[in-house]
Amino acid sequence: SFVLFSAIFLLSIAVIQRLCKKDYLTFIILAIVMTLGSVRYYQASENEIVSRFPDKYVTVNGIIYSSASLSDGDYKYRYTMKLESLSYLGESFETNDKILLNTKESLPFGTKISAKGFLSEIEGINNEYEFDFSQYYMGQGVFARLTAQEMTTNGIAFSPTPTFISGRFCEWASNLIDSHFSEKSAPIIKAIITGDKSGFS
């Protein structure tokens, strides 16, 4: 995979150089941006935790980093969880990977949790007309799924990052909309104001 990555990287540099011709400043800027993006993508694909702990029963500790998306079944709440650590067979590993977490409970954005379950890949589509959730989440840097067999919450975290602050604000706005509008109109208003389309079937 490293050889293929390197070949694509060098080819991309050649294409950028051809497009920029003698505009060296533009070439340098584009090359730097592409290099940083490529390194991030390569690190994410090489270090995805599901490849290190395939179908293993693990304990994950981290923070809920999304609003809930609803699905069918007992574990109907689905979140993106940003990990701080993962434990397996008594050994703990620090990580900042993200996973898809299914729970029976509704959790606020920013909840600090510890959950136990089997780590698995996010399944792709079965036919060409279905929405490919695996590709969607891979685009967000999420490569693994865990259904919480056991779970404990440890309060609400705070992070001064734009992603965290905007997430908390969107959740506050969503709760406000839910309290003032009907079940039919609230999902539409939330989609317009916060970009959260999870209320649609």
Side-chain angles (χ1 to χ4, degrees), residues 96-113:
N96 58 2
D97 289 337
K98 291 185 285 187
I99 65 169
L100 192 61
L101 180 74
N102 286 84
T103 74
K104 293 181 178 180
E105 300 177 34
S106 175
L107 300 168
F109 186 100
T111 302
K112 295 188 289 185
I113 71 164

Side-chain angles (χ1 to χ4, degrees), residues 69-156:
S69 295
L70 300 179
S71 58
D72 297 328
D74 292 336
Y75 296 89
K76 66 177 184 176
Y77 298 101
R78 185 170 59 230
Y79 303 93
T80 298
M81 179 181 178
K82 187 174 183 181
L83 301 185
E84 295 173 342
S85 66
L86 179 148
S87 300
Y88 176 63
L89 296 180
E91 191 173 0
S92 185
F93 306 87
E94 289 188 6
T95 177
N96 58 2
D97 289 337
K98 291 185 285 187
I99 65 169
L100 192 61
L101 180 74
N102 286 84
T103 74
K104 293 181 178 180
E105 300 177 34
S106 175
L107 300 168
F109 186 100
T111 302
K112 295 188 289 185
I113 71 164
S114 177
K116 296 181 179 181
F118 288 97
L119 199 64
S120 62
E121 285 186 304
I122 299 174
E123 295 177 1
I125 58 174
N126 293 320
N127 66 64
E128 62 180 314
Y129 301 108
E130 292 180 350
F131 179 73
D132 193 338
F133 282 100
S134 63
Q135 291 295 322
Y136 170 74
Y137 284 110
M138 280 175 64
Q140 299 182 14
V142 179
F143 296 93
R145 173 197 295 273
L146 185 138
T147 298
Q149 306 294 328
E150 302 176 55
M151 186 178 71
T152 56
T153 59
N154 305 300
I156 302 293

Side-chain angles (χ1 to χ4, degrees), residues 45-57:
S45 63
E46 286 295 302
N47 296 319
E48 57 186 274
I49 57 173
V50 71
S51 65
R52 288 180 278 163
F53 305 97
D55 299 315
K56 304 298 184 185
Y57 193 81

Side-chain angles (χ1 to χ4, degrees), residues 5-20:
F5 172 81
S6 300
I8 294 171
F9 178 80
L10 293 173
L11 180 62
S12 301
I13 287 287
V15 170
I16 290 174
Q17 187 176 22
R18 179 78 173 169
L19 290 173
C20 296

